[in-house]
Amino acid sequence: MKAEPLPYGRRKPSHLGNLTERDTLRSIALAIATASATVLAALALPLPARAGSLAGAATYRERIALPPDAVFEAVLIDTAIADAPARELGRVRLQPAGQPPFRFTIPYRDGDVTPAGRYSVRATVREGERLLFTTDTFTPVLNGGPSQPLSLKLVAVQTGRPPLPPFALGRLPASWRGDLAFAGGPSRWQVDLSADGSFQLRQTFLDRPAPNRFDDIGRWRIEPGSNRLMLRGGREAPLFFQPLEGGAALAKLDLQGEPIRSRQPDQLKRLATPQPIDPRLHLAGMFRYLADAATIRLCATGARLPVAMEADYRRLERAYLKAQPAGRTGQPLLVNLEGLITNRPSAEPGQPPQRTLVVERFVGVHPGRGCPQPNPSASASAASAPHSMASPSLSSLALGLRPGFKPDAPD
């Protein structure tokens, strides 16, 4: 029996085989439903959080030097809900703060920002628990706020405590240099100060054959009241200078911090631009090798530096790996060495050269020990006997003293 032909316009598609028209429509509807479900499921997936940032700078009007351990913080907050604590969206901390202006970038998540929010940035400067400076005005940002970079004004907080010392040193970093003549003979001095509270010093004895140079590193601070600059490094006693004319010069003081009664030159002049020395000295620090990167935290300054893999570095690395506790790789260990602190290309592309330690002679590794602490009684006894110089101990090595070199102290 022959099949009746389909009416005109009702040709059965060849790829449907024996499917009826109803089956065809059902298949098409199922395909549309499946595609729709797939699209809806994709739309329901959480989108990756996008990151935003706010950049700016903060400063204050007073000509006041911050202490080396001051900390700056800037916080992005939402104050839309009255009578409720502000909601924090992002925070950045500069530790140490250095000196103004404080340049910052606050990261935040774009998803946390809504049209109903009332966003602002507040900033503070603290020394420990003591609040030194803060913003005292509402600074709107984001939803219609000022464009970046932000400019924040900090005001001093009156706490009833003694005020910070005046800005005696001027802007940092800076270098001072001068030729001084004392009982030990003429010598050329250079002092480099950084805003993070660290210093570098070089004393070159002009009437002696080489080696006639003593390099030192350590921490500096301005003494409240007297405004004297105190340098505490590898010498048995701290050094004192009196800043003059807003940091245009440093007058050398004696070991008790008093003016030197002499007609000889006693001042170091500020250089037009910083010209930091590359100190070469005996150092101690907490060395660490992890993930093919070597770093050291210097005992004298607390600074963390990358270690160049050149010169005598391989001996240091082998001794460090041998001294590692079993099953605890990458632990910092105390080492001492003779080294050079200088600039080397940064490992990060596009970044400027960075201060790096070059190991010129590895001396030893000391498992189970940390950086020695300075002994105040030793400093006091040395101050009462200016020409005495004890033999270098590990404590003095940790502060950067080069063994076998005895710099003369001024009378």
Side-chain angles (χ1 to χ4, degrees):
M1 182 178 179
K2 295 182 179 180
E4 294 183 2
L6 292 172
Y8 181 78
R10 294 286 303 278
R11 283 183 197 279
K12 180 167 63 175
S14 59
H15 67 279
L16 293 178
N18 295 323
L19 291 177
T20 65
E21 182 180 1
R22 181 177 298 175
D23 294 332
T24 302
L25 294 175
R26 185 180 294 114
S27 299
I28 294 174
L30 180 60
I32 293 174
T34 303
S36 300
T38 303
V39 171
L40 291 174
L43 292 176
L45 290 175
L47 295 175
R50 296 178 58 191
S53 63
L54 279 172
T59 189
Y60 50 77
R61 183 180 59 184
E62 293 83 358
R63 293 183 59 81
I64 294 178
L66 290 178
D69 56 347
V71 177
F72 170 85
E73 280 192 333
V75 185
L76 173 62
I77 57 174
D78 180 5
T79 59
I81 303 177
D83 301 326
R87 182 170 65 97
E88 181 179 316
L89 280 74
R91 176 187 295 264
V92 66
R93 171 188 287 242
L94 304 181
Q95 185 175 8
Q99 304 297 333
F102 311 108
R103 306 190 187 280
F104 61 87
T105 300
I106 307 175
Y108 64 91
R109 294 188 303 176
D110 282 350
D112 291 340
V113 179
T114 66
R118 188 167 181 259
Y119 305 104
S120 68
V121 172
R122 67 184 181 197
T124 58
V125 177
R126 298 178 182 272
E127 181 190 18
E129 298 299 321
R130 179 187 178 193
L131 180 62
L132 304 178
F133 291 90
T134 185
T135 48
D136 64 348
T137 58
F138 182 82
T139 305
V141 294
L142 303 177
N143 299 342
S147 58
Q148 300 188 54
L150 303 173
S151 180
L152 304 181
K153 299 298 182 184
L154 299 162
V155 297
V157 177
Q158 303 299 325
T159 62
R161 298 181 59 177
L164 291 172
F167 202 72
L169 296 170
R171 190 169 298 277
L172 300 178
S175 301
W176 290 261
R177 186 184 298 156
D179 293 348
L180 309 181
F182 299 113
S187 61
R188 178 164 298 153
W189 291 65
Q190 177 166 331
V191 173
D192 303 323
L193 299 183
S194 296
D196 64 0
S198 63
F199 78 85
Q200 299 182 145
L201 180 145
R202 172 167 292 170
Q203 183 181 5
T204 305
F205 292 88
L206 303 178
D207 60 350
R208 300 184 189 179
N212 61 338
R213 191 174 70 191
F214 173 81
D215 291 347
D216 196 8
I217 62 174
R219 305 288 298 175
W220 66 267
R221 72 182 183 93
I222 294 288
E223 292 189 323
S226 66
N227 279 356
R228 292 183 306 188
L229 170 66
M230 183 177 74
L231 310 181
R232 185 177 292 278
R235 296 167 182 256
E236 294 297 326
L239 296 174
F240 293 95
F241 293 84
Q242 186 68 60
L244 303 174
E245 302 173 9
L250 299 177
K252 183 74 176 65
L253 305 178
D254 65 17
L255 289 176
Q256 287 74 36
E258 300 296 331
I260 297 173
R261 302 184 183 279
S262 171
R263 295 183 179 180
Q264 300 291 341
D266 64 351
Q267 293 185 15
L268 312 183
K269 299 297 185 181
R270 186 189 188 105
L271 304 183
T273 58
Q275 299 179 24
I277 65 171
D278 288 347
R280 176 175 274 117
L281 68 171
H282 201 120
L283 295 165
M286 302 303 293
F287 175 81
R288 187 181 189 187
Y289 178 77
L290 186 65
D292 295 329
T295 60
I296 189 169
R297 181 176 61 81
L298 299 178
C299 294
T301 64
R304 188 179 302 276
L305 302 179
V307 181
M309 295 183 180
E310 59 185 83
D312 205 23
Y313 168 79
R314 293 302 174 190
R315 281 212 311 138
L316 164 61
E317 182 184 305
R318 287 194 297 268
Y320 166 83
L321 294 176
K322 185 178 180 180
Q324 280 286 289
R328 297 181 61 189
T329 60
Q331 297 297 309
L333 296 180
L334 180 66
V335 301
N336 63 309
L337 53 92
E338 292 178 6
L340 171 70
I341 300 175
T342 187
N343 285 340
R344 285 287 188 269
S346 173
E348 299 294 331
Q351 296 299 314
Q354 61 183 150
R355 299 298 272 177
T356 303
L357 174 64
V358 178
V359 181
E360 298 189 318
R361 188 176 74 89
F362 170 65
V363 177
V365 60
H366 310 278
R369 302 178 67 175
C371 284
Q373 298 298 316
N375 186 350
S377 62
S379 298
S381 62
S384 63
H387 291 289
S388 67
M389 183 66 86
S391 59
S393 63
L394 185 59
S395 178
S396 63
L397 298 180
L399 295 173
L401 183 63
R402 180 155 59 93
F405 194 97
K406 299 183 178 181
D408 287 340
D411 292 330

